[in-house]
PDB file of all heavy atoms in Angstrom:
ATOM      1  N   MET O   1      52.422 107.600  97.815  1.00 95.00           N
ATOM      2  CA  MET O   1      53.879 107.728  97.702  1.00 95.00           C
ATOM      3  C   MET O   1      54.226 108.192  96.286  1.00 95.00           C
ATOM      4  O   MET O   1      53.610 107.754  95.316  1.00 95.00           O
ATOM      5  CB  MET O   1      54.522 106.365  97.988  1.00 95.00           C
ATOM      6  CG  MET O   1      56.018 106.334  97.733  1.00 95.00           C
ATOM      7  SD  MET O   1      56.781 104.755  98.202  1.00 95.00           S
ATOM      8  CE  MET O   1      57.304 105.102  99.876  1.00 95.00           C
ATOM      9  N   LEU O  30      59.754 100.669 102.158  1.00 97.00           N
ATOM     10  CA  LEU O  30      58.494 100.010 102.499  1.00 97.00           C
ATOM     11  C   LEU O  30      57.852 100.642 103.727  1.00 97.00           C
ATOM     12  O   LEU O  30      56.644 100.782 103.818  1.00 97.00           O
ATOM     13  CB  LEU O  30      58.715  98.506 102.734  1.00 97.00           C
ATOM     14  CG  LEU O  30      59.135  97.708 101.497  1.00 97.00           C
ATOM     15  CD1 LEU O  30      59.556  96.298 101.884  1.00 97.00           C
ATOM     16  CD2 LEU O  30      57.984  97.649 100.493  1.00 97.00           C
ATOM     17  N   GLU O  32      57.952 103.663 104.593  1.00 96.00           N
ATOM     18  CA  GLU O  32      57.346 104.956 104.249  1.00 96.00           C
ATOM     19  C   GLU O  32      56.051 104.839 103.446  1.00 96.00           C
ATOM     20  O   GLU O  32      55.282 105.781 103.371  1.00 96.00           O
ATOM     21  CB  GLU O  32      58.324 105.784 103.423  1.00 96.00           C
ATOM     22  CG  GLU O  32      59.435 106.384 104.245  1.00 96.00           C
ATOM     23  CD  GLU O  32      60.495 106.996 103.337  1.00 96.00           C
ATOM     24  OE1 GLU O  32      60.137 107.517 102.259  1.00 96.00           O
ATOM     25  OE2 GLU O  32      61.669 106.923 103.702  1.00 96.00           O
ATOM     26  N   ALA O  33      55.841 103.688 102.824  1.00 95.00           N
ATOM     27  CA  ALA O  33      54.668 103.542 101.948  1.00 95.00           C
ATOM     28  C   ALA O  33      53.382 103.442 102.760  1.00 95.00           C
ATOM     29  O   ALA O  33      53.385 102.912 103.868  1.00 95.00           O
ATOM     30  CB  ALA O  33      54.827 102.306 101.075  1.00 95.00           C
ATOM     31  N   GLU O  34      52.296 103.969 102.218  1.00 94.00           N
ATOM     32  CA  GLU O  34      50.983 103.797 102.840  1.00 94.00           C
ATOM     33  C   GLU O  34      50.618 102.323 102.718  1.00 94.00           C
ATOM     34  O   GLU O  34      50.922 101.693 101.690  1.00 94.00           O
ATOM     35  CB  GLU O  34      49.920 104.579 102.058  1.00 94.00           C
ATOM     36  CG  GLU O  34      50.081 106.075 102.057  1.00 94.00           C
ATOM     37  CD  GLU O  34      49.704 106.675 103.408  1.00 94.00           C
ATOM     38  OE1 GLU O  34      48.873 106.061 104.117  1.00 94.00           O
ATOM     39  OE2 GLU O  34      50.258 107.734 103.747  1.00 94.00           O
ATOM     40  N   ALA O  35      49.914 101.798 103.732  1.00 92.00           N
ATOM     41  CA  ALA O  35      49.541 100.384 103.676  1.00 92.00           C
ATOM     42  C   ALA O  35      48.745 100.067 102.401  1.00 92.00           C
ATOM     43  O   ALA O  35      48.893  99.013 101.797  1.00 92.00           O
ATOM     44  CB  ALA O  35      48.722 100.019 104.911  1.00 92.00           C
ATOM     45  N   SER O  36      47.930 101.031 101.980  1.00 92.00           N
ATOM     46  CA  SER O  36      47.067 100.774 100.829  1.00 92.00           C
ATOM     47  C   SER O  36      47.826 100.698  99.504  1.00 92.00           C
ATOM     48  O   SER O  36      47.303 100.213  98.518  1.00 92.00           O
ATOM     49  CB  SER O  36      46.014 101.869 100.731  1.00 92.00           C
ATOM     50  OG  SER O  36      46.666 103.114 100.609  1.00 92.00           O
ATOM     51  N   GLU O  37      49.054 101.191  99.483  1.00 95.00           N
ATOM     52  CA  GLU O  37      49.787 101.161  98.206  1.00 95.00           C
ATOM     53  C   GLU O  37      50.960 100.191  98.217  1.00 95.00           C
ATOM     54  O   GLU O  37      51.673 100.043  97.227  1.00 95.00           O
ATOM     55  CB  GLU O  37      50.250 102.567  97.816  1.00 95.00           C
ATOM     56  CG  GLU O  37      51.152 103.216  98.832  1.00 95.00           C
ATOM     57  CD  GLU O  37      51.362 104.714  98.612  1.00 95.00           C
ATOM     58  OE1 GLU O  37      50.755 105.284  97.688  1.00 95.00           O
ATOM     59  OE2 GLU O  37      52.134 105.298  99.377  1.00 95.00           O
ATOM     60  N   ILE O  38      51.126  99.510  99.337  1.00 97.00           N
ATOM     61  CA  ILE O  38      52.319  98.669  99.454  1.00 97.00           C
ATOM     62  C   ILE O  38      52.318  97.530  98.428  1.00 97.00           C
ATOM     63  O   ILE O  38      53.365  97.122  97.918  1.00 97.00           O
ATOM     64  CB  ILE O  38      52.470  98.137 100.903  1.00 97.00           C
ATOM     65  CG1 ILE O  38      53.915  97.708 101.118  1.00 97.00           C
ATOM     66  CG2 ILE O  38      51.550  97.004 101.197  1.00 97.00           C
ATOM     67  CD1 ILE O  38      54.414  98.046 102.453  1.00 97.00           C
ATOM     68  N   GLU O  39      51.129  97.037  98.113  1.00 96.00           N
ATOM     69  CA  GLU O  39      51.024  95.956  97.141  1.00 96.00           C
ATOM     70  C   GLU O  39      51.588  96.419  95.785  1.00 96.00           C
ATOM     71  O   GLU O  39      52.263  95.666  95.094  1.00 96.00           O
ATOM     72  CB  GLU O  39      49.548  95.590  96.992  1.00 96.00           C
ATOM     73  CG  GLU O  39      49.341  94.126  96.809  1.00 96.00           C
ATOM     74  CD  GLU O  39      47.900  93.703  97.035  1.00 96.00           C
ATOM     75  OE1 GLU O  39      47.119  94.448  97.678  1.00 96.00           O
ATOM     76  OE2 GLU O  39      47.561  92.613  96.567  1.00 96.00           O
ATOM     77  N   LYS O  40      51.289  97.678  95.462  1.00 97.00           N
ATOM     78  CA  LYS O  40      51.776  98.216  94.189  1.00 97.00           C
ATOM     79  C   LYS O  40      53.284  98.426  94.218  1.00 97.00           C
ATOM     80  O   LYS O  40      53.982  98.199  93.230  1.00 97.00           O
ATOM     81  CB  LYS O  40      51.053  99.530  93.877  1.00 97.00           C
ATOM     82  CG  LYS O  40      49.572  99.296  93.615  1.00 97.00           C
ATOM     83  CD  LYS O  40      48.800 100.569  93.348  1.00 97.00           C
ATOM     84  CE  LYS O  40      47.341 100.198  93.057  1.00 97.00           C
ATOM     85  NZ  LYS O  40      46.477 101.367  92.975  1.00 97.00           N
ATOM     86  N   VAL O  41      53.795  98.857  95.383  1.00 97.00           N
ATOM     87  CA  VAL O  41      55.248  99.039  95.503  1.00 97.00           C
ATOM     88  C   VAL O  41      55.958  97.698  95.291  1.00 97.00           C
ATOM     89  O   VAL O  41      56.947  97.598  94.558  1.00 97.00           O
ATOM     90  CB  VAL O  41      55.626  99.633  96.889  1.00 97.00           C
ATOM     91  CG1 VAL O  41      57.133  99.648  97.091  1.00 97.00           C
ATOM     92  CG2 VAL O  41      55.050 101.038  97.031  1.00 97.00           C
ATOM     93  N   ILE O  42      55.421  96.654  95.917  1.00 97.00           N
ATOM     94  CA  ILE O  42      56.030  95.326  95.785  1.00 97.00           C
ATOM     95  C   ILE O  42      55.960  94.866  94.324  1.00 97.00           C
ATOM     96  O   ILE O  42      56.936  94.376  93.754  1.00 97.00           O
ATOM     97  CB  ILE O  42      55.298  94.287  96.674  1.00 97.00           C
ATOM     98  CG1 ILE O  42      55.417  94.665  98.145  1.00 97.00           C
ATOM     99  CG2 ILE O  42      55.813  92.873  96.425  1.00 97.00           C
ATOM    100  CD1 ILE O  42      56.717  94.365  98.803  1.00 97.00           C
ATOM    101  N   VAL O 114      52.961 106.505  92.820  1.00 97.00           N
ATOM    102  CA  VAL O 114      53.112 105.073  92.575  1.00 97.00           C
ATOM    103  C   VAL O 114      51.824 104.527  91.959  1.00 97.00           C
ATOM    104  O   VAL O 114      51.852 103.749  90.994  1.00 97.00           O
ATOM    105  CB  VAL O 114      53.452 104.347  93.897  1.00 97.00           C
ATOM    106  CG1 VAL O 114      53.249 102.855  93.770  1.00 97.00           C
ATOM    107  CG2 VAL O 114      54.875 104.668  94.325  1.00 97.00           C
ATOM    108  N   SER O 115      50.687 104.972  92.492  1.00 96.00           N
ATOM    109  CA  SER O 115      49.411 104.473  91.979  1.00 96.00           C
ATOM    110  C   SER O 115      49.191 104.864  90.525  1.00 96.00           C
ATOM    111  O   SER O 115      48.720 104.057  89.725  1.00 96.00           O
ATOM    112  CB  SER O 115      48.243 104.998  92.804  1.00 96.00           C
ATOM    113  OG  SER O 115      48.258 104.374  94.045  1.00 96.00           O
ATOM    114  N   PHE O 118      51.407 102.586  88.428  1.00 97.00           N
ATOM    115  CA  PHE O 118      50.890 101.214  88.410  1.00 97.00           C
ATOM    116  C   PHE O 118      49.626 101.133  87.550  1.00 97.00           C
ATOM    117  O   PHE O 118      49.506 100.270  86.670  1.00 97.00           O
ATOM    118  CB  PHE O 118      50.574 100.752  89.843  1.00 97.00           C
ATOM    119  CG  PHE O 118      50.061  99.343  89.906  1.00 97.00           C
ATOM    120  CD1 PHE O 118      50.921  98.280  90.122  1.00 97.00           C
ATOM    121  CD2 PHE O 118      48.701  99.060  89.732  1.00 97.00           C
ATOM    122  CE1 PHE O 118      50.454  96.971  90.165  1.00 97.00           C
ATOM    123  CE2 PHE O 118      48.224  97.759  89.760  1.00 97.00           C
ATOM    124  CZ  PHE O 118      49.102  96.711  89.987  1.00 97.00           C
ATOM    125  N   ASP O 119      48.679 102.056  87.796  1.00 97.00           N
ATOM    126  CA  ASP O 119      47.398 101.987  87.083  1.00 97.00           C
ATOM    127  C   ASP O 119      47.587 102.177  85.577  1.00 97.00           C
ATOM    128  O   ASP O 119      46.929 101.505  84.777  1.00 97.00           O
ATOM    129  CB  ASP O 119      46.414 103.031  87.630  1.00 97.00           C
ATOM    130  CG  ASP O 119      46.068 102.747  89.094  1.00 97.00           C
ATOM    131  OD1 ASP O 119      46.374 101.618  89.555  1.00 97.00           O
ATOM    132  OD2 ASP O 119      45.526 103.633  89.771  1.00 97.00           O
ATOM    133  N   PHE O 180      58.576  96.087 109.059  1.00 96.00           N
ATOM    134  CA  PHE O 180      57.351  96.081 109.858  1.00 96.00           C
ATOM    135  C   PHE O 180      57.442  95.350 111.190  1.00 96.00           C
ATOM    136  O   PHE O 180      56.507  95.393 111.980  1.00 96.00           O
ATOM    137  CB  PHE O 180      56.194  95.519 109.031  1.00 96.00           C
ATOM    138  CG  PHE O 180      55.875  96.389 107.849  1.00 96.00           C
ATOM    139  CD1 PHE O 180      56.281  96.033 106.574  1.00 96.00           C
ATOM    140  CD2 PHE O 180      55.214  97.588 108.024  1.00 96.00           C
ATOM    141  CE1 PHE O 180      56.017  96.851 105.484  1.00 96.00           C
ATOM    142  CE2 PHE O 180      54.944  98.417 106.959  1.00 96.00           C
ATOM    143  CZ  PHE O 180      55.347  98.048 105.676  1.00 96.00           C
ATOM    144  N   GLY O 201      52.750  90.478  97.441  1.00 97.00           N
ATOM    145  CA  GLY O 201      52.089  91.775  97.590  1.00 97.00           C
ATOM    146  C   GLY O 201      50.965  91.693  98.618  1.00 97.00           C
ATOM    147  O   GLY O 201      50.818  92.560  99.480  1.00 97.00           O
ATOM    148  N   ALA O 204      52.402  91.419 102.064  1.00 98.00           N
ATOM    149  CA  ALA O 204      52.947  92.713 102.469  1.00 98.00           C
ATOM    150  C   ALA O 204      51.833  93.649 102.946  1.00 98.00           C
ATOM    151  O   ALA O 204      51.965  94.316 103.970  1.00 98.00           O
ATOM    152  CB  ALA O 204      53.700  93.344 101.305  1.00 98.00           C
ATOM    153  N   ARG O 205      50.741  93.647 102.204  1.00 97.00           N
ATOM    154  CA  ARG O 205      49.638  94.535 102.597  1.00 97.00           C
ATOM    155  C   ARG O 205      49.053  94.109 103.942  1.00 97.00           C
ATOM    156  O   ARG O 205      48.811  94.934 104.824  1.00 97.00           O
ATOM    157  CB  ARG O 205      48.540  94.521 101.525  1.00 97.00           C
ATOM    158  CG  ARG O 205      47.331  95.381 101.887  1.00 97.00           C
ATOM    159  CD  ARG O 205      46.535  95.798 100.677  1.00 97.00           C
ATOM    160  NE  ARG O 205      46.108  94.662  99.874  1.00 97.00           N
ATOM    161  CZ  ARG O 205      45.008  93.941 100.121  1.00 97.00           C
ATOM    162  NH1 ARG O 205      44.235  94.226 101.147  1.00 97.00           N
ATOM    163  NH2 ARG O 205      44.690  92.929  99.345  1.00 97.00           N
ATOM    164  N   LEU O 206      48.900  92.807 104.104  1.00 97.00           N
ATOM    165  CA  LEU O 206      48.385  92.279 105.360  1.00 97.00           C
ATOM    166  C   LEU O 206      49.296  92.697 106.520  1.00 97.00           C
ATOM    167  O   LEU O 206      48.835  93.137 107.577  1.00 97.00           O
ATOM    168  CB  LEU O 206      48.358  90.752 105.239  1.00 97.00           C
ATOM    169  CG  LEU O 206      47.342  89.974 106.016  1.00 97.00           C
ATOM    170  CD1 LEU O 206      45.944  90.434 105.667  1.00 97.00           C
ATOM    171  CD2 LEU O 206      47.489  88.482 105.708  1.00 97.00           C
ATOM    172  N   LEU O 207      50.574  92.577 106.289  1.00 97.00           N
ATOM    173  CA  LEU O 207      51.552  92.922 107.324  1.00 97.00           C
ATOM    174  C   LEU O 207      51.466  94.408 107.646  1.00 97.00           C
ATOM    175  O   LEU O 207      51.462  94.805 108.819  1.00 97.00           O
ATOM    176  CB  LEU O 207      52.951  92.557 106.810  1.00 97.00           C
ATOM    177  CG  LEU O 207      54.126  92.772 107.749  1.00 97.00           C
ATOM    178  CD1 LEU O 207      53.999  91.897 108.984  1.00 97.00           C
ATOM    179  CD2 LEU O 207      55.444  92.447 107.038  1.00 97.00           C
ATOM    180  N   ALA O 208      51.382  95.241 106.625  1.00 96.00           N
ATOM    181  CA  ALA O 208      51.348  96.687 106.840  1.00 96.00           C
ATOM    182  C   ALA O 208      50.030  97.119 107.478  1.00 96.00           C
ATOM    183  O   ALA O 208      49.993  97.996 108.325  1.00 96.00           O
ATOM    184  CB  ALA O 208      51.552  97.410 105.512  1.00 96.00           C
ATOM    185  N   GLU O 209      48.952  96.465 107.084  1.00 96.00           N
ATOM    186  CA  GLU O 209      47.651  96.883 107.602  1.00 96.00           C
ATOM    187  C   GLU O 209      47.321  96.282 108.959  1.00 96.00           C
ATOM    188  O   GLU O 209      46.789  96.941 109.828  1.00 96.00           O
ATOM    189  CB  GLU O 209      46.535  96.486 106.608  1.00 96.00           C
ATOM    190  CG  GLU O 209      46.404  97.466 105.469  1.00 96.00           C
ATOM    191  CD  GLU O 209      45.370  97.030 104.431  1.00 96.00           C
ATOM    192  OE1 GLU O 209      44.823  95.924 104.553  1.00 96.00           O
ATOM    193  OE2 GLU O 209      45.140  97.824 103.492  1.00 96.00           O
ATOM    194  N   GLU O 210      47.642  94.993 109.128  1.00 96.00           N
ATOM    195  CA  GLU O 210      47.168  94.320 110.342  1.00 96.00           C
ATOM    196  C   GLU O 210      48.254  93.731 111.228  1.00 96.00           C
ATOM    197  O   GLU O 210      47.974  93.260 112.313  1.00 96.00           O
ATOM    198  CB  GLU O 210      46.186  93.201 109.951  1.00 96.00           C
ATOM    199  CG  GLU O 210      44.972  93.726 109.221  1.00 96.00           C
ATOM    200  CD  GLU O 210      44.086  92.603 108.741  1.00 96.00           C
ATOM    201  OE1 GLU O 210      43.925  91.617 109.488  1.00 96.00           O
ATOM    202  OE2 GLU O 210      43.576  92.685 107.608  1.00 96.00           O
TER     203      GLU O 210
END
Side-chain angles (χ1 to χ4, degrees):
M1 173 175 267
L30 294 170
E32 284 171 34
E34 295 286 333
S36 59
E37 59 193 3
I38 200 141
E39 217 164 341
K40 294 178 178 172
V41 172
I42 298 282
V114 165
S115 289
F118 181 93
D119 296 346
F180 296 103
R205 178 158 55 84
L206 209 57
L207 183 63
E209 279 176 355
E210 299 175 39

